[in-house]
Amino acid sequence: CGSRTRTVFGEGSSRPRLVVVGEAPGAEEDRTGRPFVGRAGELLTRMLQAIGLGREDVFICNVLKCRPPGNRSPRPDEVAGCRPFLQEQLEVLDPPLLLAVGSHAVRLLLHTERGITSLRGRFQTSPDGWRVMPTYHPAYLLRNPAAKREAWEDLQKVATELELAIPPRR
């Protein structure tokens, strides 16, 4: 946390039906103190809107609460240091469903070393009792647009699970 500008704990509904868990704040998040506000955040917002949810309807947070130096991937000791904060957030929020975006969130929540590709698209129950839908991180989708179809399939399953009516596309 020594190189961070702001701690990014998360934001959104205090009684969410869905909690989105990502990896770590990026540069824009570190600057503003808000999660998912850069390009990946804009895509996440559109993804949620596509299933009828606004950012105000969910809670959005990350595994790490501080931007790693140089925007590198989180180290195991950093994940271990932030794990209690995420655990407390989830216990307080008590959502019926978690959307784990990206490998780091999936590995932490499901206590696994398996990759996102082998887990995405199927609801999982974490060892802590959380219902989790693993899917691709929006930053990955920006780099790999062909994976958006699979992420959309995952989101449709989330919408069905939460009994949401998917708005018509404009």
Side-chain angles (χ1 to χ4, degrees):
C1 66
S3 64
R4 68 155 158 76
T5 303
R6 290 192 169 78
T7 304
V8 183
F9 282 106
E11 69 179 18
S13 172
S14 62
R15 300 300 311 156
R17 298 177 64 198
L18 179 69
V19 170
V20 179
V21 181
E23 177 180 309
E28 189 65 18
E29 291 79 6
D30 183 57
R31 187 183 68 72
T32 63
R34 297 182 61 218
F36 281 92
V37 293
R39 286 185 61 231
E42 291 171 7
L43 178 55
L44 176 63
T45 298
R46 290 194 308 272
M47 291 167 67
L48 293 170
Q49 288 170 340
I51 61 168
L53 293 171
R55 287 178 68 104
E56 68 280 358
D57 300 316
V58 303
F59 191 86
I60 302 172
C61 60
N62 285 297
V63 170
L64 294 191
K65 306 307 179 190
C66 300
R67 180 178 186 225
N71 210 35
R72 63 165 164 67
S73 292
R75 294 189 323 233
D77 62 317
E78 294 167 333
V79 171
C82 285
R83 180 185 204 117
F85 296 111
L86 178 61
Q87 192 68 34
E88 182 74 17
Q89 283 178 308
L90 296 177
E91 289 172 11
V92 168
L93 295 167
D94 194 27
L97 186 60
L98 306 178
L99 180 66
V101 296
S103 290
H104 290 282
V106 169
R107 287 180 176 144
L108 174 72
L109 292 169
L110 297 180
H111 303 209
T112 186
E113 289 303 313
R114 289 178 61 193
I116 185 74
T117 304
S118 69
L119 294 169
R120 64 140 293 274
R122 291 182 312 281
F123 288 104
Q124 311 280 329
T125 300
S126 77
D128 300 315
W130 302 107
R131 189 137 167 87
V132 180
M133 172 56 79
T135 195
Y136 295 121
H137 194 286
Y140 174 81
L141 298 174
L142 290 170
R143 295 187 308 273
N144 301 281
K148 286 181 179 180
R149 175 182 296 282
E150 292 172 302
W152 174 237
E153 292 168 1
D154 300 344
L155 287 173
Q156 288 175 312
K157 291 174 185 174
V158 167
T160 299
E161 182 77 7
L162 295 175
E163 299 178 349
L164 300 171
I166 297 176
R169 300 200 89 165
R170 297 178 207 167

